[in-house]
Amino acid sequence: MNRRVRRKVLQLKDKEKLTCDYYVEICDGSSSSERKGDVDWISLPDDTVIQLFSYLNYRDRASLSSTCKTWRVLGSSPCLWSSLDLRAHKCDSAIAVTLASRCSNLQKLRFRGTESANAIMNLQARGLREISGDFCREITDATLSVMAARHEALESLQLGPEFCERISSDAIKLVALCCPKLKRLRLSGIRDVDGEAINALAKHCGQLEEIGFMDCMSVDEVALGNVMSVRFLSVAGTRNTKWSSALHLWNLLPNLICLDVSRTDVTSAVVVRLMSTTPSLKVVCALNCPNLEEESNHTAYNVKGKLLLALFSDIFKGVASLFADTTVKDRDVFSEWSSSKSGNKNLNDTMTWLECILSHTLLRIAETNPQGLDTFWLKQGAALLLSLMRSSQVDVQERAATGLATFVVIDDENATVDCGRAEAVMQDGGIRLLLDLAKSCREGLQSEAAKAIANLSVNAKVAKAVAEEGGINILADLARSMNRLVAEEAAGGLWNLSVGEEHKGAIAEAGGIKALVDLIFKWPFGGDGVLERAAGALANLAADDKCSMEVAVAGGVHALVMLARTCKFDGVQEQAARALANLAAHGDSNSNNAAVGQEAGALEALVQLTRSNHEGVRQEAAGALWNLSFDDRNREAIAAAGGVEALVALAQNCSNASQGLQERAAGALWGLSVSETNSIAIGREGGVAPLIALARSEAEDVHETAAGALWNLAFNPGNALRIVEEGGVPALVHLCSSSVSKMARFMAALALAYMFDGRMDEVAASIGSTSEGISKSVSLDAPRRMALKNIHDFVGTFSDQQSFNAAANSSAPPALAQVAEAARIQEAGHLRCSGAEIGRFVVMLRNPSSILKACAAFALLQFTIPGGRHATHHASLLQKSGAARVMRAAAAAATAPLEAKIFAKIVLRNLEHHNVEASSLI
C-alpha cells in the first residue's frame, strides 16, 4: 500500500531559505512499472517537492535543484543535506566542491573508496559527526589523519568491513588527538594496533563507548584495559591475542556491557572467567570460535544474568532473554524491538550493537565458508540474516542482504549454490523481503538485495519463486538505474533468471532486453561487472528464437559487436561472443545470422578473439564463427578476415583444451569448408592434421564436428590425399566403426567414400604437380581396402536382410517405408549439401565398386527423407540434375547390390513425395 506523508515545513517568504521542522524518509514501495498518471510538477506543494527530493541520490537531487529558482531553494533545505551517501556514484574533488555550499549542516556521511575519502575534505562540513567508509584498502594514514583533523566534532568513525591494510597506529593516535568527542570507533583489518594508539584514545576520548578492532593482526590487549569508558568492545577475527592478559584486565573495565570475541582462538576457560568476574558484562558474542565449539560441556557457560551467543546456542532465544517481557517471540525478537523500542537505554544500545555485530560476523563467516556449518545455517543462520534485514539500521540491512548473497554460494568459481540454504531462505519468506528491499529508495539496499536475489536465483526453485513474486519486473526496473552498482546486480539477477526457458518471455515482456542493451551503451567502459552480466543475460535470451529477434530490434547486435571489438575484459568478451553465437543460431527462422555478419567489424573481432589467451573466449568466438558460417556471405567474409588461418591455428593448439573448445574449433572449420575455396585453403594451411587428431577424441560431440570437417575437406582430391598422408584413414575408420554417434559414423563413411571414389587416384598419379602441394607419394591400396570394408560394414548395420528381402519381393510403399525408417539417421536430416556434392553421389551410383554404390544410395536416402530440414532442397537438386533416371537404373540393375537397389527405390519414392508436395503448393 502506498503511503503519503506530509512534511511540516515553513512556507517560503520572499524566497527565504526553507527549513524543515522534521524529516522522515519513507519509500512508497512501488516499482516504476506500477506508477501511472501524470503529475503537474509546477503545482506541487513545497513539502511534496522536498519529499520527492528525499528519494533521490545526491547527484540527481543537485541536478533537479538547478531546474528553477524555487527548486534550487527547496533543494538546499538543510533537512535534505543532514546526511549524505556518496557510495552510489563516483565522487571526486570537483563534485565535492560543487556540493560544499549545501553541506554546511551535514551530520552523517558515507563514502566508498579512496577517491571519495580524499574528496570529502572539500565538502567543508566542519560539524560532521558520523563518517562511515567501505572499500578502504587503499586509504592511507595521511588521508585518515586529514579526515580527523578537518572534523573535530566527529563522534563516530567506521572503516570496513574490508581490510584497512595501509592504516597504522600512527593515524589512530592522530584521530584520538583531533576528535575528543569520539564515541564510536570501528576499524577493520589494521595490521597492528599498538598500546600507544589505544592509550591515546583512553586519554583524549573520554566519551569513547564503543571500540571495534576487527580482523587485526594484533591488538594490544593490555592497553584496552585502560579505556575505562568503553561499553561495547569487539576484537572479532583478531589474531595473536594474549588471552591471559586480557582476562586479568578486561574484567576490571567498569562499564563493559558487551564483548565480541567471534572468530578468535579464545578458550572456554577465558570466556567463563570473563562472564563470571566482570560485574557489568551482560553479553559475550563468540560465534565461530573453534576452541569453544570443540568443547562438549556447554553448560559451563550458563552464568546467571550473563548471555553467551555461540554457534551451538539458540541465538534468538538468548537475545529474547534480555527482555523482561516474556511474551516476546524468539524469532521475532529483533523486529519487535525495532518497532517498539523500550525506554531502557542500556537495552536499546545493546540491541543496536548486537545487530551490527551479528550482521558483520555472519557476513565474515559466509565469506570464508568454513566447513561443518550447514546445520547452523539451516537452523538459524538464514533466519538471523532475514531478521537483520528488517533492522532500522540501513548498514545492518545491507550487510545482512550481502550475507544472504554470500552464504548460499559454496563454490564461487563455478557459481554453485547450496540448494538447502537457498530453499531455507525461500521458505522463511526471504524472497518477498528481498524484493521489498530491492524496491527501496536507498540505492545501497537496492544493490545488495538485487545481489542476493541474483545469487539465490541460481537455484531453479528460487528462480521460479522470484518470478512468481514479480521479481522480473523489479529487476528490469533496477537494470535501468543510473547507479551502475544497482544496474550491475540487477543484470546479474536477469542473467541467472534467463537460464530458465520459462522466464525468457517474461523478461522480454518486462522490458528487460531493452534495459540490458541500454546498459552496454550506458557504461561501455564501466568495468567488467555490469558489461559481463548484461552480455551474459543477453546471451541466454538470444538462445530463444523470439527473444533473439527482440535483442536485434533493441540494438543488441551493435552493442555486442562493440563489446567484442573494444572491451578488454575476458569475461565480457566471452559473454559477448556467446551472445553473438546464439543470435546467429537461428538462421532458418530469422535474419540475425546475416545481420551479425553485416555489422561492421563483427567478423574481424570474432576472428581476433579466437587468438585470446582465455580459453572461454576462444571457445565462444569459435562457436560464433561456426554459426555464422552457415550463411554463404558470412562464410566468405570470415575467410577474407583471416578466419581460415586463425581457426586452423586454434585447432592445432587445442589438443589439450576442453571438449567445448575442440568441438567449436572443428565445427567452425566444418562450416567454412562448405566452400571448396575455403576447403582448399584449410588444407594448405595445415588444417588436416589437427582435425584428424580431434577425430580421435573420446567426446561424441567432437567426433561429429571433426568428421564433418574431414568429410567436407575430402571432397577435394588434394585434401583427400593429405588425409591419407596424415594417417587420417585409420582415424576415420575408427569413427565409422566405433563412435557412439551415428552422425559421426555416417560422415566418416562419406569422407572415406569421397576419398576412394577414384578422383584422388588422379592426383596421386600426378604426384609431381605443385598445384596441390603434395610432397610425397603414398600407397593407396591398403587404405582403400580398409576404407571400403568399413564403409560396407557401416551400411550393413542399417540393412536388415529380412526387411530387404521383403522389399525386394514387393515394391509396395509399406515395405519400403519400413526399410527407410530402420535406415534413418535422424540427425542427417540437418545436413545441407551443395549441388556438386549431390552430383558426386549420383555419379558414385555408377562406380564399379558395389560398396560405393550402396553408400551413395544410402547417403541420398538420408538427404531426401521427408521431414528433413533440407530434404526438399536436396530433392530439387536431384530433379534438376536428372538423377531420377540414374536412380531407376541403379534400382533395376541386375549386378547392383541389394542394398543399393532398395535404397535407390526409397530415394525415388522420396522424390515422388517431394514432387507431390511441391505440386500441392502451386
Side-chain angles (χ1 to χ4, degrees), residues 2 472 499 535 568 642 690 830 832 899:
N2 296 346
I472 289 176
V499 171
K568 302 304 180 185
H830 297 302
R832 181 184 175 95
E899 293 94 334

Coordinates of all heavy atoms in Angstrom, one line a residue, residues 2 472 499 535 568 642 690 830 832 899:
N2 N 0.6 2.2 -0.8 CA 1.3 3.4 -0.9 C 1.0 4.3 0.3 O -0.2 4.4 0.7 CB 1.0 4.2 -2.2 CG 1.5 3.4 -3.4 OD1 2.3 2.5 -3.2 ND2 1.1 3.8 -4.5
I472 N 10.9 -10.3 -11.7 CA 11.4 -10.0 -13.0 C 11.2 -8.5 -13.3 O 12.1 -7.8 -13.8 CB 10.9 -10.9 -14.1 CG1 11.4 -12.3 -13.9 CG2 11.1 -10.4 -15.5 CD1 10.9 -13.4 -14.8
V499 N 18.4 -18.2 -17.4 CA 18.8 -19.6 -17.7 C 17.5 -20.5 -17.9 O 17.5 -21.4 -18.7 CB 19.6 -20.1 -16.5 CG1 19.8 -21.6 -16.6 CG2 20.9 -19.4 -16.4
A535 N 25.8 -8.8 -21.0 CA 26.1 -9.6 -22.1 C 25.7 -11.1 -21.8 O 25.2 -11.7 -22.7 CB 27.6 -9.5 -22.5
K568 N 38.3 -5.2 -23.2 CA 39.5 -6.0 -22.9 C 39.3 -7.0 -21.8 O 40.3 -7.7 -21.5 CB 40.7 -5.0 -22.6 CG 41.0 -4.0 -23.7 CD 41.2 -4.6 -25.0 CE 41.5 -3.6 -26.1 NZ 41.7 -4.2 -27.4
G642 N 40.6 -13.5 -42.4 CA 41.7 -14.3 -41.8 C 41.2 -15.4 -40.9 O 42.0 -16.0 -40.1
P690 N 45.4 -31.4 -37.5 CA 44.6 -31.2 -36.2 C 43.2 -31.8 -36.3 O 42.7 -32.2 -35.2 CB 44.6 -29.7 -36.1 CG 44.9 -29.1 -37.4 CD 45.8 -30.1 -38.1
H830 N 19.6 -32.7 -40.9 CA 20.1 -31.4 -40.7 C 21.2 -31.0 -41.7 O 21.6 -29.8 -41.8 CB 20.6 -31.1 -39.3 CG 19.5 -31.4 -38.3 ND1 18.3 -30.6 -38.3 CD2 19.4 -32.2 -37.2 CE1 17.5 -31.0 -37.2 NE2 18.2 -32.0 -36.6
R832 N 23.1 -30.0 -45.0 CA 22.8 -29.4 -46.3 C 23.9 -29.6 -47.3 O 25.0 -29.1 -47.0 CB 22.5 -27.9 -46.1 CG 22.1 -27.1 -47.3 CD 21.9 -25.6 -47.0 NE 21.7 -24.9 -48.2 CZ 20.5 -24.5 -48.6 NH1 19.4 -24.9 -47.9 NH2 20.3 -23.8 -49.7
E899 N 21.4 -53.8 -51.3 CA 21.3 -52.6 -50.6 C 21.1 -51.4 -51.5 O 20.2 -50.5 -51.2 CB 22.5 -52.3 -49.7 CG 22.7 -53.3 -48.5 CD 23.6 -54.5 -48.9 OE1 23.7 -54.8 -50.2 OE2 24.2 -55.1 -48.0

